């Protein structure tokens, strides 16, 4: 038990440099998480509630029962344990608010496999964690979305546009965190999601680290982590390889920190896409540092639709990045979603205070820096500094260039390719 307590303490220290220990209490940005010195967590093993690790039985009732007891009926910190073995589970939800002492932990040791009967999903989430304050998802287990069964039905490129999102919803995802605050996710593997692996929505102060997120490079819409309508999210020290964005930062977000990510295959680390729907609001404060991109289609990218309601994407920094064989290392695309190639953007979104710094490596495109901004709202305050990329594509004797349109960019330091 002493080891478990130490792990809890160390895990929460990683959450924020603002943690303060006072009289056995951790202060986590206004949320107080008690550390009970002489008692380990109460263990709620799902097999004690009827779960069977036979790779056949649907275990959602046992999972929910164990969660209900841990969340509501423990007088000490509680842990739901999913032990070694392969457990099947259909769509399920772990919902708060919880009344047991914080944090509530779910530790996954085994493998959880999604139900592949798509008709049984009534909403787009496989696992939902809802309205929990002080939550830990940990263990070295696997969430296997078994996405291969659904990918052929969702790949518009292979069905000539006759594709239907699964299952009759906009985006299907493995793990959704909805209104979860002051929490962390660590050491989990997400494998072959049907579409998004992780989606954080309406969340505050969550750290995700030491994750392994994996899907084939040709699997459609399998974003690693998508963040929307959230504040104070940290993602670090993880390996992500998917068929879409490794990490995508959606609308209405602020204070997002991403560092030490290995991305590839995939579409890079993107801010956006933004502006597709009228309810989408501004993005302010995104920092991406010390990440490596391997054979991705994009590296550092900001993308907006033309949009219907004006908003902003500002205070965004990509710094200290390594590109290995990346197709489009640095991109601002304000014509995202346009069916006409090279359409001049009339996006109502304003992009400003953007920094691409200390980026090096190789690209297979002769246009390594592409800043394609809006005619109505030219990009302002875009810095390109110490970008040292080498062309490693197949074209011989090609010109290695930067391309700028409606971008008020400032170039400095080492510049390969040269400035616009």
């Amino acid at each position: 038990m002493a080891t478990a307590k130490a792990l809890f303490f160390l895990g929460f220290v990683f959450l924020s440099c603002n943690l303060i220990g006072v009289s056995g209490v951790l202060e986590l940005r206004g949320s107080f998480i008690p550390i009970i010195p002489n008692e380990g967590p109460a263990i709620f093993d799902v097999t004690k509630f009827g779960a069977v690790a036979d790779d056949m039985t649907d275990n959602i009732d046992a999972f929910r029962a164990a969660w209900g007891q841990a969340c509501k009926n423990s007088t000490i910190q509680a842990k739901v344990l999913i032990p070694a073995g392969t457990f099947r589970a259909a769509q399920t939800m772990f919902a708060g608010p919880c009344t047991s002492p914080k944090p509530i932990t779910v530790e996954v040791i085994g493998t959880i496999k999604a139900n592949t009967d798509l008709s049984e999903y009534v909403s787009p989430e496989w696992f939902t964690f809802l309205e929990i304050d002080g939550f830990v998802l940990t263990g070295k287990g696997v969430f296997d979305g078994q996405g291969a069964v659904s990918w052929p039905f969702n790949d518009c490129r292979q069905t000539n546009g006759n594709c239907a999102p699964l299952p009759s919803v906009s985006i299907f995802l493995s793990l959704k965190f909805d209104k979860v605050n002051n929490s962390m996710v660590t050491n989990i593997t997400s494998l072959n999601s049907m579409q998004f692996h992780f989606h954080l929505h309406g969340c505050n102060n969550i750290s995700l680290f030491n994750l392994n997120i994996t899907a084939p490079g040709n699997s459609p819409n399998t974003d690693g982590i998508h963040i929307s309508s959230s504040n104070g999210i940290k993602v670090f020290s993880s390996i992500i390889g998917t068929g879409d964005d490794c990490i995508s930062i959606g609308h209405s977000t602020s204070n997002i920190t991403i560092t030490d990510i290995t991305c590839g295959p995939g579409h890079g680390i993107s801010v956006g896409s933004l502006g597709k729907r009228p309810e989408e609001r501004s993005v302010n404060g995104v920092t991406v540092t010390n990440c490596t991109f391997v054979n991705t289609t994009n590296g550092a990218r900001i993308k907006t639709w033309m949009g219907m309601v004006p908003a902003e994407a500002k205070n965004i920094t990509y710094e200290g990045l390594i590109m290995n064989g990346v197709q489009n290392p640095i991109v601002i695309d304000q014509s995202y979603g346009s069916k006409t190639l090279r359409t001049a953007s009339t996006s109502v979104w304003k992009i400003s205070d953007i920094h691409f710094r200390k980026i090096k490596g190789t690209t297979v495109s002769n246009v390594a820096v592409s800043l394609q901004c809006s005619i109505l709202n030219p990009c302002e305050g875009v810095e390109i500094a110490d970008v040292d990329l080498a062309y490693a594509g197949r074209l011989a004797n090609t010109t290695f260039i930067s391309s700028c349109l409606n971008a008020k960019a400032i170039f400095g330091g080492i510049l390969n390719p040269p400035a616009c």
Side-chain angles (χ1 to χ4, degrees):
M1 290 300 183
T3 300
K5 296 304 300 176
L7 289 174
F8 280 139
F9 180 81
L10 290 173
F12 277 98
V13 167
F14 274 108
L15 277 172
S16 169
C17 61
N18 294 327
L19 288 174
I20 305 171
V22 181
S23 300
V25 175
L26 289 180
E27 183 181 349
L28 181 54
R29 293 186 182 177
S31 177
F32 294 93
I33 300 177
I35 299 299
I36 303 171
N38 296 318
E39 296 184 82
I43 306 297
F44 297 87
D45 186 329
V46 295
T47 62
K48 306 301 183 183
F49 292 81
V52 181
D54 61 1
D55 197 13
M56 296 175 58
T57 303
D58 186 351
N59 290 292
I60 59 170
D61 290 337
F63 285 8
R64 289 171 179 169
W67 170 258
Q69 291 296 311
C71 175
K72 302 287 188 180
N73 294 321
S74 180
T75 58
I76 61 174
Q77 292 173 346
K79 177 197 292 186
V80 174
L81 175 64
I82 300 174
T86 300
F87 297 85
R88 288 272 180 161
Q91 188 173 35
T92 193
M93 177 183 291
F94 289 176
C98 293
T99 55
S100 299
K102 302 173 186 178
I104 308 297
T105 299
V106 173
E107 182 176 10
V108 181
I109 304 299
T111 296
I112 307 172
K113 285 188 175 181
N115 191 331
T116 56
D117 184 351
L118 302 179
S119 67
E120 294 189 4
Y121 292 86
V122 296
S123 62
E125 308 87 11
W126 175 29
F127 264 77
T128 299
F129 303 94
L130 175 66
E131 295 185 350
I132 310 169
D133 184 55
F135 174 64
V136 177
L137 176 60
T138 188
K140 296 187 177 180
V142 177
F143 286 87
D144 184 353
Q146 301 209 89
V149 70
S150 66
W151 295 332
F153 302 103
N154 192 51
D155 192 345
C156 299
R157 293 168 297 183
Q158 296 189 19
T159 58
N160 296 318
N162 297 318
C163 56
L166 300 168
S168 300
V169 292
S170 58
I171 288 293
F172 194 87
L173 50 103
S174 282
L175 303 174
K176 183 173 184 179
F177 297 79
D178 191 356
K179 302 181 183 68
V180 175
N181 302 318
N182 304 314
S183 299
M184 76 176 187
V185 181
T186 182
N187 293 326
I188 292 295
T189 293
S190 178
L191 176 67
N192 293 337
S193 61
M194 293 186 186
Q195 292 188 354
F196 288 6
H197 287 259
F198 289 80
H199 182 195
L200 279 64
H201 180 81
C203 297
N204 290 280
N205 195 26
I206 297 183
S207 289
L208 304 95
F209 57 99
N210 293 339
L211 304 181
N212 191 343
I213 301 174
T214 303
N218 62 352
S219 56
N221 297 317
T222 52
D223 292 53
I225 300 172
H226 181 68
I227 304 167
S228 63
S229 300
S230 296
N231 174 67
I233 308 302
K234 299 178 178 66
V235 185
F236 57 97
S237 302
S238 296
I239 298 172
I240 306 175
T242 70
D244 211 299
D245 292 325
C246 291
I247 302 174
S248 56
I249 297 97
H251 66 91
S252 314
T253 55
S254 57
N255 302 314
I256 309 300
T257 302
I258 298 166
T259 190
D260 188 26
I261 303 297
T262 299
C263 171
H267 296 180
I269 297 178
S270 299
V271 176
S273 62
L274 304 171
K276 184 177 183 179
R277 299 174 181 83
E279 67 270 18
E280 297 187 14
R281 298 295 179 261
S282 297
V283 173
N284 182 10
V286 177
T287 302
V288 180
T289 58
N290 301 325
C291 297
T292 299
F293 301 79
V294 181
N295 299 324
T296 53
T297 56
N298 304 288
R301 178 167 62 155
I302 302 170
K303 49 182 177 175
T304 76
W305 294 70
M306 298 298 184
M308 294 176 278
V309 177
E312 296 182 87
K314 61 184 180 180
N315 187 20
I316 298 167
T317 298
Y318 289 92
E319 185 169 0
L321 310 183
I322 297 174
M323 307 285 175
N324 291 328
V326 173
Q327 186 171 339
N328 304 298
I330 298 173
V331 178
I332 295 178
D333 178 9
Q334 291 210 259
S335 297
Y336 188 77
S338 174
K339 294 183 180 180
T340 304
L341 293 177
R342 302 184 185 278
T343 298
S345 174
T346 56
S347 177
V348 298
W349 275 68
K350 179 72 173 181
I351 294 178
S352 64
D353 191 13
I354 310 298
H355 307 274
F356 299 99
R357 301 173 178 146
K358 298 180 181 178
I359 299 173
K360 63 183 180 179
T362 61
T363 173
V364 296
S365 171
N366 70 313
V367 183
V369 177
S370 178
L371 311 177
Q372 309 301 312
C373 300
S374 171
I375 295 172
L376 298 180
N377 287 302
C379 299
E380 293 185 347
V382 179
E383 177 191 19
I384 309 291
D386 294 313
V387 172
D388 189 9
L389 297 167
Y391 176 67
R394 296 181 179 180
L395 297 176
N397 301 318
T398 189
T399 304
F400 194 42
I401 64 171
S402 300
S403 174
C404 303
L405 180 65
N406 304 312
K408 299 178 181 179
I410 300 171
F411 291 80
I414 298 171
L415 293 174
N416 290 305
C420 296

